Amino acid sequence: DIQMTQSPSTLSASVGDRVTITCRASQNINRWLAWYQQKPGSAPKVLIYRASTLESGVPSRFSGSESGTEFTLTINSLQPDDFATYYCQHYSGYPWTFGQGTKVEIK
Amino acid sequence: EVQLVQSGAEVKKPGESLNISCKTSGYSFSTYWIGWVRQVPGKGLEWMGIIYPADSDTKYSPSSRGQVTISADRSISTAYLQWSALKASDTAIYYCVRPSASQYLEFWGQGTLVTVSS
């Protein structure tokens, strides 16, 4: 099974900061990777799929990139609404798996 | 508009059976996979499994296989997650998910909290 290792587990940042979250796959997943945002008490919502494609309606300050088996979610100019937990997830063959999550907190 | 509406919160005792549901609308139920994701309160997301309603092809995660049953009723566009004997460790929020055509988790239900306690 493919393991997804996400880091950091917690990140403290200020409004306006540029934030980077990393997810490493244990083997090649051919860019079949999505990023989700979850706020307390709510279901997750997709931000990015296919490693770098922005879901419709998601602000352009979110972006995704890939280098081999390492994937990055970047939030440019962090906004108050962005303080949440973020998860990566691969969908390259079953079973699908999630990263452990990154909580973005207010510094 | 695609909607996934899950059944309400449940409180059960260990050993009891349970069936939670996910009523869908706004798309052709048979032609998209539909599945379940688990989240212990305060913890991360865990993919459990998925079913293709058109032919009932079902995929389970290793940790879910044999512990739960995923099913779908095409006549009422509803997916189910079933336990025959609950354990305290099944306490979690369960989300119904519908992947897009390219399989990322595009739509999510509101979640069903299952509490198993003696």
Side-chain angles (χ1 to χ4, degrees):
Chain A
D1 299 350
I2 298 171
Q3 307 305 314
M4 304 302 296
T5 302
Q6 188 173 340
S7 61
S9 55
T10 307
L11 189 160
S12 295
S14 302
V15 172
D17 283 353
R18 182 171 183 262
V19 163
T20 298
I21 298 168
T22 299
C23 204
R24 185 182 299 273
S26 60
Q27 62 190 73
N28 182 23
I29 59 171
N30 291 309
R31 297 175 56 85
W32 297 113
L33 182 110
W35 290 97
Y36 303 88
Q37 177 194 66
Q38 186 179 32
K39 296 180 180 178
S42 295
K45 75 167 196 175
V46 61
L47 300 173
I48 286 169
Y49 60 94
R50 203 70 169 99
S52 60
T53 302
L54 202 64
E55 173 74 341
S56 176
V58 173
S60 59
R61 63 180 179 272
F62 292 92
S63 63
S65 63
E66 162 255 352
S67 176
T69 59
E70 187 167 292
F71 298 83
T72 300
L73 172 70
T74 300
I75 311 172
N76 282 303
S77 187
L78 197 68
Q79 297 301 300
D81 191 50
D82 302 336
F83 291 96
T85 301
Y86 295 84
Y87 296 92
C88 63
Q89 177 239 337
H90 90 82
Y91 47 106
S92 172
Y94 300 107
W96 298 344
T97 51
F98 290 90
Q100 299 90 331
T102 296
K103 184 175 183 180
V104 177
E105 298 181 326
I106 301 173
K107 184 186 284 185
Chain B
E1 179 194 7
V2 174
Q3 291 194 8
L4 308 176
V5 179
Q6 298 184 227
S7 50
E10 302 273 2
V11 179
K12 292 288 192 179
K13 293 183 175 3
E16 292 186 331
S17 63
L18 177 63
N19 204 358
I20 62 174
S21 65
C22 173
K23 170 73 174 171
T24 75
S25 60
Y27 74 99
S28 175
F29 181 72
S30 292
T31 58
Y32 284 86
W33 292 83
I34 188 160
W36 296 89
V37 169
R38 178 176 185 264
Q39 185 171 41
V40 173
K43 302 296 184 184
L45 302 172
E46 179 186 356
W47 181 78
M48 298 181 71
I50 201 161
I51 187 168
Y52 191 64
D55 61 9
S56 296
D57 186 16
T58 310
K59 313 289 186 186
Y60 291 96
S61 70
S63 59
S64 294
R65 188 174 293 113
Q67 307 304 308
V68 297
T69 301
I70 294 172
S71 62
D73 186 336
R74 296 196 306 259
S75 68
I76 54 172
S77 301
T78 299
Y80 299 94
L81 182 63
Q82 180 181 358
W83 293 261
S84 58
L86 286 159
K87 306 170 190 172
S89 57
D90 293 319
T91 295
I93 300 168
Y94 293 88
Y95 291 103
C96 172
V97 291
R98 201 220 76 177
S100 68
S102 56
Q103 299 292 56
Y104 66 93
L105 301 178
E106 186 177 14
F107 296 101
W108 294 68
Q110 83 276 22
T112 296
L113 175 62
V114 174
T115 303
V116 184
S117 174
S118 54

